Amino acid sequence: MMELSPKNVRMLSMLGQRGSIFGVALLEIAREHSDLMVLTADLALLSGLGKFQSQYPDQLLNLGIAEQNMLGVASGLAKEGNCVFVTTYATFLTMRAYEQIRDNLGYMQFNVKLVGASAGLAMGMSGNTHYAIEDLAIMRVVPNMTVLSPADAGEALKMAQAVCDIDGPVYIRLTGGLNCPVVYKEEFDFKIGRAQVLTEGSDLALIACGTMVAEALKAAELLRARGLEVTVINMHTVKPLDTEILDRVFAAHRAVVTIEEHSCLGGLGSAIAEYRCSFKSVAPLLIIGLPDAFSRADEQPFLLEQAGLTASRLADSADKFFNEVK
Amino acid sequence: MTVATIQELQQMATSMRLTALDMALGAGRNGAHLGAAMSAMEIMAVLYGRVLHLGQVNPAKPDGDRFLASKAHCVLAHYTALAEIGLISREELGTFGKSGTRLAGHPAMNPELGLEYSGGSLGQAIGFAIGLALDARRKGRNHRVFVLMGDGELNEGSNWEGFMAAAHFKLNNLIAIVDKNQLQYDGPTEEIMALGDLGAKLQAFGWQTAEVDGHDVGQLLAALKSKPGDQPLAVIANTIKGKGVSFMENVREWHHSTLSQAQYNMAVKEVREAASL
C-alpha cells in the first residue's frame, strides 16, 4: 500500500475519503487479492470506481438500486471466501438493508466491509432522506460489527487496507466530500481499535471521529489561545472503543468533550458515555453532535454551523462547559 | 452410493414425516411448524435423497451443491432430511424444542450439521444464493445452488430484487423451488396478498419455470434434474400445507402448533397407512 507523503496527501484530500478508497486503495488491494469483490448499488461512477471497473471488470458487481439484495449477494460471495466491499450512500446502505446487515454480517459474521459514503450532512441540499445521522448508532449495536470513521482521506486509505487484514464484518463511515481536510500530512501508524492522540494538554480533552477531527484540532487552537491546555484524540474506531486511552483521558483531564457529525443520541459520545458511566469519579463529559431532529435541507457548512459543529462554536461550547465543571 | 429409486424417495419422505411427528411431540408446549414442513417433505426427500451432490455428504466441500432453506421454518423437513443422510444423528433430533439444542426453530448455520445458512427472516436467502452462484461461475465450478422458498414468503420485496438480479446475471446454476402450499400465517395467500399467476410473473422476470405436483416424487425429480438452460430455473411445486395428516391439511392453525399425544397417535396412524406400513 502506498505510504502517505505530503505530496500524495494533497492528491488524496482532493479525491476525498470515498475517492481514496475506491479510486486508489482498492486498485492496490485488487492487485494482490483476486478474491476482492466490490459491490455497488448503481453508484459505481459516483464512487470513483470507474478505473477499478475497467481494470478488474469481473471483480465489480453493480446490483442496481436494490440494497437489500446487494447485501445478500455480498454475504453469499463472502461465504465462499471472498473479501467483499459494499458501497452506496451511508443512509441507504445502513438503513434499507439493515436486517440483512444484522443477520448476514452480525449473526453469521460474513466477511463483508460496508463503506457508507456521504454520511452525516454531506449531502447538503439533497435533504434528510440523503443524510445519515443515525448510522453509527444502528451499526454499533449489531453484535460482531467493527465500526470505523476515518478522520481524513489518507486515513481512509489506510483503513481500507487494515479492514482487508481482518476476517469479519466492518462498517466504514465516510464523512466530508471532495477536498477533505487533512489531519495526517505524512505516514502514520494506523491500527483498528487504537485511537490516536494528536495533541496533548492537561485541562480539556476533545474526542472526535470522522472529519470532525480536523474541526476539533482547529477548536483546540482557539482554546489554546484562551489559555487552555487541550488534548485532541482521533477515535477512528467507534467499536470496539479504545478503552485503554479512555481510562487515561478521563483520569488526566478536568473535562472531556466528544464531537461527531451524527445524532447526539447513540453515536460516539453515547458509546463513550456508556463506558464511562461505571467509573467512580471522573471528569465530566459533554456530548456534542447533531440535534435529535430533522433539519431543513441546506448547505452542509450552514447546517454544521447551526448545530454548533464548527471550530469556533465547538471552542465556545467546550470553554463554557470547562468553566462550569472545573 | 446407489441412486435412490422413486419408491425409496417416497419411503424417505414417509420416514421424515414420522420423525417430524416424533420431534413435534417431543417439543411439547414449544410446538413446531408442522404444516409448512409437511408440505415440503417430498421436495426435501428428492433434494437430499437424489438431487444434491453433496460430495461425501459434506456441504462444506467446494464442489458440493449448495442448499438454502429460505422458508427456514420448515426445519422439521430439513433436519429430518439431514438425518436421513446421516449428517444429524437420531439422538440429536431428540433434542429439538428442548433447552440446549443445536436444532433451533429456525436453522442456525452449522457446517457440521449440513446447515449452510441461518434462516428465519423471510425473503433473504435468494440474494445470498445469488452470491454463491456468482462465485461458482467466476471460479468455474459446476455445482448448483438450490433455494427453497415459500409462497407466502414471496410477499417480501427483497425476493423480487433477487429474481431480477438472478435473471440479469443469467445464473443458470441457480434453482429456486417454491413450496406453493397456498396458506400463509393469517390465511390463504390469495386472500392475504394475492400472488396471482406465479409462473407468469417469474417468466416475466426472466426465469425459466416448471410447475409440478410437489408431492409427486417423479415430477419433482424430472424438474430438478432437467438440463440447465440459459436462465435460472424456478420449480413451482404445488403442495398441500400439512400434507399427510388429514386434520392438518389446509388448516391455517397448523402453521405452528403444539401436538397432543392423541393427535400424534392419529397422525402417525394416517402416515403409516398411506404408506401401507
Side-chain angles (χ1 to χ4, degrees), chain B residues 13-268:
Chain B
T14 298
S15 165
M16 286 161 58
R17 275 201 176 84
L18 291 169
T19 309
L21 290 167
D22 289 342
M23 292 169 72
L25 182 70
R29 62 185 169 81
N30 282 329
H33 284 100
L34 267 170
M38 290 302 200
S39 66
M41 289 299 182
E42 280 76 17
I43 297 169
M44 287 293 206
V46 167
L47 283 170
Y48 281 97
R50 175 92 175 256
V51 173
L52 295 176
H53 295 288
L54 293 177
Q56 304 304 310
V57 291
N58 178 4
K61 262 191 81 150
D63 60 348
D65 289 331
R66 312 292 199 251
F67 173 76
L68 309 167
S70 190
K71 53 166 283 183
H73 53 287
C74 71
V75 284
L76 289 182
H78 199 181
Y79 295 155
T80 51
L82 289 165
E84 291 287 331
I85 61 165
L87 278 173
I88 298 180
S89 71
R90 297 280 157 185
E91 192 187 0
E92 181 140 24
L93 287 183
T95 67
F96 177 75
K98 300 187 175 78
S99 177
T101 186
R102 294 195 291 177
L103 305 179
H106 296 96
M109 187 169 63
N110 186 331
E112 191 192 325
L113 302 178
L115 300 167
E116 304 203 46
Y117 179 73
S118 299
S121 173
L122 297 173
Q124 295 202 21
I126 183 77
F128 191 81
I130 292 167
L132 300 179
L134 282 166
D135 183 78
R137 184 162 73 189
R138 180 162 180 255
K139 291 175 180 160
R141 292 177 178 161
N142 293 323
H143 63 257
R144 298 199 288 171
V145 182
F146 294 81
V147 197
L148 176 62
M149 313 173 90
D151 51 356
E153 177 186 12
L154 298 183
N155 295 173
E156 292 281 4
S158 48
N159 290 310
W160 299 91
E161 291 184 2
F163 288 143
M164 203 177 336
H168 174 78
F169 293 120
K170 301 190 187 307
L171 293 174
N172 65 349
N173 54 353
L174 176 65
I175 294 103
I177 304 151
V178 181
D179 176 0
K180 193 163 180 288
N181 60 33
Q182 299 192 68
L183 262 189
Q184 56 192 100
Y185 194 86
D186 269 343
T189 51
E190 290 313 292
E191 283 178 25
I192 304 301
M193 186 50 64
L195 258 183
D197 187 342
L198 178 59
K201 280 183 175 156
L202 289 168
Q203 284 163 22
F205 269 69
W207 284 57
Q208 290 181 291
T209 62
E211 193 153 348
V212 300
D213 174 345
H215 300 300
D216 184 317
V217 166
Q219 285 189 30
L220 282 166
L221 208 48
L224 292 172
K225 298 282 279 182
S226 64
K227 201 168 167 285
D230 299 330
Q231 288 294 357
L233 171 68
V235 175
I236 300 168
N238 292 307
T239 58
I240 294 169
K241 201 157 177 175
K243 171 74 177 175
V245 179
S246 59
F247 59 87
M248 291 182 195
E249 288 189 2
N250 295 315
V251 177
R252 189 199 77 79
E253 286 74 12
W254 283 99
H255 176 81
H256 187 279
S257 187
T258 56
L259 189 67
S260 71
Q261 183 68 51
Q263 287 167 329
Y264 168 84
N265 294 345
M266 207 186 311
V268 167

Side-chain angles (χ1 to χ4, degrees), chain A residues 1 21-22 24-38 52 59 81-86 111-115 146 148 156-172 190 192:
Chain A
M1 180 60 69
I21 290 183
F22 297 112
V24 183
L26 291 189
L27 287 163
E28 292 203 25
I29 293 165
R31 213 169 290 148
E32 288 163 22
H33 295 269
S34 62
D35 60 355
L36 173 73
M37 297 295 291
V38 183
F52 188 94
Q59 284 171 263
N82 300 290
C83 177
V84 187
F85 276 69
V86 177
N111 189 23
V112 176
K113 320 302 181 188
L114 304 169
V115 186
T146 296
L148 308 175
L157 181 95
K158 298 186 78 71
M159 212 172 250
Q161 177 67 58
V163 300
C164 285
D165 296 337
I166 61 167
D167 183 14
V170 178
Y171 173 59
I172 303 179
F190 174 82
I192 292 169

Side-chain angles (χ1 to χ4, degrees), chain A residues 167-179:
Chain A
D167 183 14
V170 178
Y171 173 59
I172 303 179
R173 174 185 215 243
L174 303 184
T175 53
L178 303 174
N179 300 313

Side-chain angles (χ1 to χ4, degrees), chain A residues 15-96:
Chain A
L15 293 172
Q17 298 188 349
R18 178 166 62 189
S20 294
I21 290 183
F22 297 112
V24 183
L26 291 189
L27 287 163
E28 292 203 25
I29 293 165
R31 213 169 290 148
E32 288 163 22
H33 295 269
S34 62
D35 60 355
L36 173 73
M37 297 295 291
V38 183
L39 274 55
T40 176
D42 196 31
L43 287 185
L45 299 177
L46 190 94
S47 304
L49 279 162
K51 202 166 164 192
F52 188 94
Q53 189 166 20
S54 56
Q55 283 189 23
Y56 303 96
D58 74 325
Q59 284 171 263
L60 182 98
L61 283 172
N62 197 331
L63 276 306
I65 311 163
E67 294 79 10
Q68 297 180 53
N69 187 55
M70 174 164 69
L71 260 295
V73 174
S75 309
L77 289 166
K79 164 114 192 218
E80 299 292 2
N82 300 290
C83 177
V84 187
F85 276 69
V86 177
T87 189
T88 180
Y89 288 124
T91 175
F92 308 133
L93 181 65
T94 60
M95 284 180 262
R96 179 65 65 98

